[in-house]
Amino acid sequence: MRFSFSDEQEQFRAVVRRFLDDHAPPSAARACMASALGHDEAVWARLADDLGASGIHLDEAHGGQGFGQAELGIIMEEMGRALLCAPYFGSAVLAAGMLRHGATVAEQAELLPPLASGARRAALAWVEDAGRWDAAGITLAAGRDGAAWRLDGRKRFVVDGLCADDLLVLARVDGALALFLVAGDARGLARRALEVIDPTRRLAEVDFTATPARRLGADVDVDAGFARLFDEALVALAGETIGGARRLHAEAVEYARLRMQFGRPIGSFQAIKHQLADRLLDIELAAAAVNHAAAALDENDPAVSAFAAQAKAMASEAGMAMAACAIQVHGGIGFTWDHDTHLWYKRAKSSEVLLGTPAWHRERYLAALEANA
Amino acid sequence: MSMPDEHTVRAEVRAWLAEHWHPEQDLVEWRGILADSGWGMPHWPRAWYGRGLPVAMSAVVDEEFDAIEAVGVARIGIRLLAGATLLEHGSEAHKRRFLRPILTGEDTWCQLFSEPGSGSDLAGATTRAERDGDDWRINGQKVWTTSAHHAEWGLLLARTDWDAPKHQGLSCFVIDMRQPGVEVQPLKQMNGYASFNQVFFTDAVVPAENRLGEIGDGWKIAMTTLAHERRGADALRRWGQAPARAGRIYDQLRAEIASVLEPYKWYPQRAGRVDLALPRARETGRIADPAVRQELARLLMLSSAAEWLARRARAAHELGRPQGPEGSLGKLAGSEVARQAARVHTLVSDAEALLAGRDGPHDGTIAEILLSVPATSIAGGTDEIQRNIIAERVLDLPREPRLDGGPFRDVPRNPERGR
Ligand SMILES: Cc1cc2nc3c(=O)[nH]c(=O)nc-3n(C[C@H](O)[C@H](O)[C@H](O)COP(=O)(O)OP(=O)(O)OC[C@H]3O[C@@H](n4cnc5c(N)ncnc54)[C@H](O)[C@@H]3O)c2cc1C
């Protein structure tokens, strides 16, 4: 269903929302922001045990639930709404997705179950100093130690990279992309937390110095696998952004109903009303694009890369515009540390840039349309 | 009642067309047969020229018509808004008398709502309808009335009670436009066309049986018409185009398009002609310019997402789910698309955007787009009014403080204009 959700999907959404309302209120996000780890291990464990969240989109044979991008999108949207701090995007979406599309069947059977159960966490390291998000930005060449492989170089912007048990690394072998597994305690591996604008999403910088690595997916087209993973990640992140934007919109509307100035609620001023109407339009248009792209992924639509770029560009802009509007509608209190709006503002900003800016995705979108035509 | 599936509908309409369609018949006769079969308006009820099918099935039926270039019922323009309003609020007698000639194209209609003093604030209408024996006498003025110069009938909003509050003193009438008390004067628009008019009423007559609904129901009925207009905003993109084929019916269709459909000729342009954007960017080579690419991508993203949002609204409607926000957002999205399209056409045309008519890009179509787009955010309810509606009805924000309560005769309003 490209245009609406089924009743079962709506019920699933309600279950996820209830869980996150209970376990991930904004106070929890603040606690996670201030912690060294960046998330709450107890919530991470229950996310897997109660909801099976980490394996929602993975095959049942790998301990997953066998659902598609639409259900993953629902989880992401609810996590964005709650501002859940957890290595979900890094491990369940990026790393598990890369294994699905870039590892052999046997390797998947070995490596996916612990990710599906949440027992282990992995992170995907692909971006380098240039800050380029697509395959063209991957220049690190893997080296050989006889039959073994080793890595030398640096990866940056590694989402949830510090708390990961294992790292999946994209590098080049004879010019083509290749996937490597590096144990978190491998020799010659140095990880450092990057100082970030959005403390609810942790990023790491990873240095490899003659670091031993296991090559995965030797007979798999990793370039194609990464392209597919990238589309999935764009749509998932766009869904998360929609969730945050919808929450901020609802809160701004609520505040506008209550806050009195000049003897009337500020929500009766058109300058406020019209902003909120316009933001609703942006959000719903972007949500339509996200749902459409998720369905296109599930249906293996050949034009999916264009749709994924569209979803990311539209959601990023709608999310950022909504975050700015939410602060504006709240006035001075919206600019304070104690008020929660800035937490979502920071997430909106980090989601706007992560995986590429809207302008970059507009360019990719048009290029994809031209190629398809 | 179980709904027939797409496959069955397709097979049925195909079989029906195979039996009845041929291009050498008379246009009005054909549309009559079509109307009576229900295939002309498949989503209308069976009792009234429809087949009671979901709206989505109409698209399936359209595809079958298009595939063999069969002519449909008369669906373009205000007449269909009148049809939908009559279907909802008309009596049996009204439906029997008015619906069929709307579908055959014999009757053209206009919507007599806006006045010089009341556009956004339609409930402020001051055109008066007064009883005169069994009849009603109409006096006053309407403006921006599309198609009035072609219309046989008008859907008229007029004040019947000056002591009631504004919204309660209005009634709705069907008025015969071809009578001495009705004078129609075309108004030229900024794009050079004259598709709307001013209409003056001087003791014009409406017989009692041509009142729609009860006395005082005018506002409610006008809202039905407007809801159809706003929902259908995207349908305006389709303007009649006769297939370039020989056949008596096609000749008659071409004549219709050149005459009573002429007012809608520029409607696709006012929606922005998104379809021209990418092809023209390629043809002109402007697609190589990164600034053009950004704006073009924005446009194509926006217009496809608006389409999906509209489909989501229809899907929700057909699943019997309560209307979500998407139902009210379509018209505003359409304005956004039109404005962005004008921006892109300007960028793509570059210096050529200075030129119109035969000298202008795409045979003057680009100039026509640039000069027609402003209508989109005004006609059928301005963007500001749409934002108010979204804020107040969808988001439930507090209403504006109002200064127009109490008996209408005491409400502050624009001075009445003489001629
Ligand atoms: C091409 C075209 C075809 C038309 N066809 C028809 C037709 O067939 N039949 C018919 O009856 N009418 C028709 N109209 C009229 C149209 O519905 C009105 O022009 C429109 O509703 C605006 O009314 P107005 O022109 O009186 O402007 P006004 O209502 O005076 O508005 C002027 C400005 O004030 C703003 N404004 C007004 N009220 C508010 C408010 N409460 N809050 C914020 N801003 C406000 C408006 O948004 C606008 O920007 C047509 C118009 C056009 C352009």
Side-chain angles (χ1 to χ4, degrees):
Chain A
M1 291 223 260
R2 286 203 177 192
F3 309 110
S4 58
F5 289 107
S6 69
D7 291 337
E8 291 75 19
Q9 287 170 328
E10 290 299 349
Q11 282 158 18
F12 175 63
R13 179 191 299 284
V15 170
V16 178
R17 183 168 298 188
R18 217 172 307 128
F19 176 91
L20 292 170
D21 281 346
D22 291 346
H23 298 282
S27 58
R30 284 179 182 271
C32 291
M33 277 162 54
S35 73
L37 186 63
H39 68 268
D40 179 339
E41 287 287 21
V43 174
W44 175 254
R46 295 202 61 170
L47 207 56
D49 297 344
D50 296 8
L51 294 180
S54 294
I56 184 80
H57 56 311
L58 301 179
D59 292 345
E60 283 165 291
H62 298 146
Q65 300 197 48
F67 288 108
Q69 191 79 23
E71 286 76 12
L72 177 65
I74 290 173
I75 289 204
M76 287 300 294
E77 190 180 328
E78 291 306 314
M79 287 180 174
R81 179 181 176 276
L83 199 65
L84 175 75
C85 297
Y88 188 83
F89 186 63
S91 186
V93 178
L94 291 172
M98 193 62 242
L99 284 174
R100 273 178 91 194
H101 301 303
T104 64
V105 175
E107 288 157 357
Q108 290 184 40
E110 171 198 345
L111 298 170
L112 279 173
L115 296 187
S117 71
R120 285 183 82 77
R121 287 186 291 266
L124 180 65
W126 82 97
V127 192
E128 300 176 4
D129 281 338
R132 211 186 147 137
W133 302 94
D134 60 0
I138 302 172
T139 62
L140 181 84
R144 278 181 197 270
D145 264 339
W149 294 90
R150 64 183 169 79
L151 298 173
D152 282 283
R154 169 178 291 177
K155 293 284 181 181
R156 298 186 82 207
F157 310 105
V158 183
V159 181
D160 304 321
L162 215 57
C163 71
D165 301 298
D166 301 297
L167 290 177
L168 290 167
V169 184
L170 282 167
R172 296 207 171 262
V173 172
D174 302 329
L177 283 192
L179 182 62
F180 293 90
L181 180 69
V182 174
D185 55 4
R187 135 176 75 79
L189 175 71
R191 289 189 271 181
R192 171 174 89 82
L194 289 164
E195 220 173 297
V196 284
I197 192 169
D198 167 22
T200 67
R201 177 153 47 218
R202 300 296 168 101
L203 299 177
E205 181 176 275
V206 184
D207 281 298
F208 304 96
T209 316
T211 309
R214 171 180 163 198
R215 182 166 180 190
L216 302 177
D219 56 353
V220 177
D221 180 349
V222 178
D223 282 275
F226 175 68
R228 167 76 193 193
L229 172 270
F230 194 61
D231 287 341
E232 289 178 359
L234 289 173
V235 178
L237 185 62
E240 185 198 271
T241 305
I242 295 295
R246 284 207 165 120
R247 179 185 186 123
L248 286 184
H249 192 270
E251 286 178 351
V253 166
E254 189 55 30
Y255 187 75
R257 275 196 208 115
L258 301 176
R259 171 74 175 170
M260 302 284 288
Q261 289 293 287
F262 300 94
R264 49 195 268 211
I266 58 165
S268 68
F269 295 116
Q270 289 192 351
I272 300 290
K273 273 185 187 170
H274 289 192
Q275 279 189 58
L276 289 169
D278 283 337
R279 298 292 74 79
L280 181 70
L281 177 60
D282 297 345
I283 294 170
E284 294 304 324
L285 286 170
V290 173
N291 293 346
H292 188 271
L297 279 168
D298 285 336
E299 292 163 15
N300 285 314
D301 187 322
V304 70
S305 290
F307 298 139
Q310 174 179 18
K312 171 65 166 74
M314 293 187 85
S316 290
E317 290 207 331
M320 202 51 232
M322 184 60 233
C325 166
I327 292 182
Q328 187 67 19
V329 167
H330 281 91
I333 199 172
F335 193 66
T336 62
W337 185 266
D338 280 349
H339 198 268
D340 288 334
T341 301
H342 73 97
L343 307 185
W344 276 272
Y345 181 96
K346 288 167 183 171
R347 178 62 75 86
K349 181 49 81 181
S350 84
S351 299
E352 179 194 3
V353 178
L354 190 70
L355 306 187
T357 60
W360 187 61
H361 284 290
R362 279 192 288 273
E363 175 52 44
R364 293 181 69 242
Y365 167 82
L366 201 63
L369 285 194
E370 287 180 278
N372 290 341
Chain B
M1 191 177 65
S2 76
M3 282 295 169
D5 60 70
E6 182 181 324
H7 187 74
T8 316
V9 169
R10 230 178 249 292
E12 270 185 74
V13 65
R14 212 175 278 178
W16 188 88
L17 280 170
E19 193 174 332
H20 295 92
W21 164 252
H22 63 90
E24 287 304 332
Q25 55 196 319
D26 176 72
L27 179 63
V28 169
E29 261 171 47
W30 157 247
R31 282 174 170 163
I33 298 169
L34 186 53
D36 295 335
S37 75
W39 287 117
M41 295 299 285
H43 62 287
W44 278 17
R46 278 182 177 274
W48 298 107
Y49 310 108
R51 302 187 72 87
L53 292 176
V55 182
M57 285 297 168
S58 296
V60 172
V61 173
D62 283 350
E63 279 168 23
E64 292 302 317
F65 273 70
D66 291 349
I68 58 165
E69 299 187 316
V71 177
V73 290
R75 288 197 300 191
I76 289 159
I78 304 285
R79 57 176 143 214
L80 209 63
L81 299 179
T85 308
L86 288 162
L87 201 56
E88 206 158 318
H89 297 287
S91 64
E92 288 277 315
H94 292 143
K95 292 179 197 169
R96 211 169 311 119
R97 168 133 185 238
F98 295 120
L99 289 180
R100 199 168 182 276
I102 287 177
L103 298 179
T104 60
E106 288 161 284
D107 284 354
T108 293
W109 284 63
C110 63
Q111 184 197 73
L112 299 157
F113 290 179
S114 302
E115 298 185 6
S118 59
S120 299
D121 186 17
L122 268 188
T126 57
T127 291
R128 52 184 76 220
E130 286 153 324
R131 281 204 190 267
D132 178 13
D134 275 350
D135 295 339
W136 294 88
R137 292 263 160 206
I138 312 298
N139 283 285
Q141 183 192 344
K142 295 287 172 180
V143 75
W144 325 129
T145 317
T146 304
S147 284
H149 53 312
H150 295 296
E152 274 80 19
W153 300 101
L155 197 60
L156 171 72
L157 184 67
R159 186 155 306 276
T160 42
D161 186 346
W162 292 68
D163 296 313
K166 189 169 176 174
H167 294 79
Q168 288 154 39
L170 297 166
S171 302
C172 226
F173 302 89
V174 174
I175 187 169
D176 182 349
M177 296 293 286
R178 308 279 171 87
Q179 59 169 304
V182 176
E183 191 194 325
V184 176
Q185 288 182 358
L187 280 170
K188 193 170 174 182
Q189 297 143 197
M190 64 173 274
N191 60 2
Y193 288 95
S195 42
F196 57 32
N197 305 269
Q198 21 188 5
V199 182
F200 299 92
F201 304 100
T202 315
D203 283 330
V205 181
V206 174
E209 70 266 20
N210 279 3
R211 195 189 67 231
L212 273 188
E214 298 301 318
I215 295 173
D217 275 356
W219 178 249
K220 185 176 84 186
I221 296 170
M223 284 302 101
T224 305
T225 317
L226 284 190
H228 280 282
E229 182 169 5
R230 288 168 185 170
R231 217 175 301 144
D234 55 346
L236 296 176
R237 248 175 286 156
R238 279 175 75 124
W239 178 69
Q241 193 107 53
R245 281 178 58 170
R248 179 178 172 207
I249 202 164
Y250 294 125
D251 292 336
Q252 290 174 331
L253 188 63
R254 276 186 279 273
E256 180 182 74
I257 289 170
S259 57
V260 294
L261 292 187
E262 195 272 343
Y264 306 104
K265 192 173 175 178
W266 55 282
Y267 274 41
Q269 279 67 272
R270 97 181 200 188
R273 291 300 300 274
V274 177
D275 60 309
L276 293 179
L278 183 58
R280 278 192 38 81
R282 282 201 167 127
E283 272 163 41
T284 56
R286 294 282 290 142
I287 196 155
D289 180 336
V292 173
R293 296 177 68 81
Q294 283 291 310
E295 295 305 317
L296 179 59
R298 252 183 216 287
L299 171 65
L300 299 177
M301 287 182 181
L302 191 60
S303 75
S304 55
E307 177 65 29
W308 300 329
L309 192 63
R311 282 201 235 171
R312 196 170 103 196
R314 283 202 291 275
H317 180 73
E318 268 146 28
L319 290 169
R321 298 217 182 125
Q323 171 113 322
E326 57 274 5
S328 312
L329 294 169
K331 186 163 190 300
L332 201 52
S335 296
E336 204 66 61
V337 170
R339 275 190 292 270
Q340 180 63 13
R343 221 172 276 143
V344 168
H345 287 306
T346 307
L347 273 171
V348 167
S349 300
D350 213 356
E352 299 286 311
L354 289 163
L355 306 178
R358 257 171 311 173
D359 283 326
H362 214 83
D363 273 334
T365 304
I366 299 303
E368 198 167 300
I369 295 168
L370 301 183
L371 300 183
S372 299
V373 156
T376 304
S377 44
I378 298 172
T382 67
D383 279 10
E384 290 72 27
I385 295 300
Q386 292 308 116
R387 292 189 181 102
N388 286 348
I389 291 174
I390 293 164
E392 294 176 6
R393 313 237 178 102
V394 180
L395 303 177
D396 205 20
L397 284 165
R399 305 211 163 212
E400 306 273 315
R402 295 190 73 136
L403 305 171
D404 59 355
F408 182 71
R409 64 173 76 252
D410 303 330
V411 169
R413 55 180 184 269
N414 291 304
E416 262 169 68
R417 271 196 247 165
R419 259 205 263 181

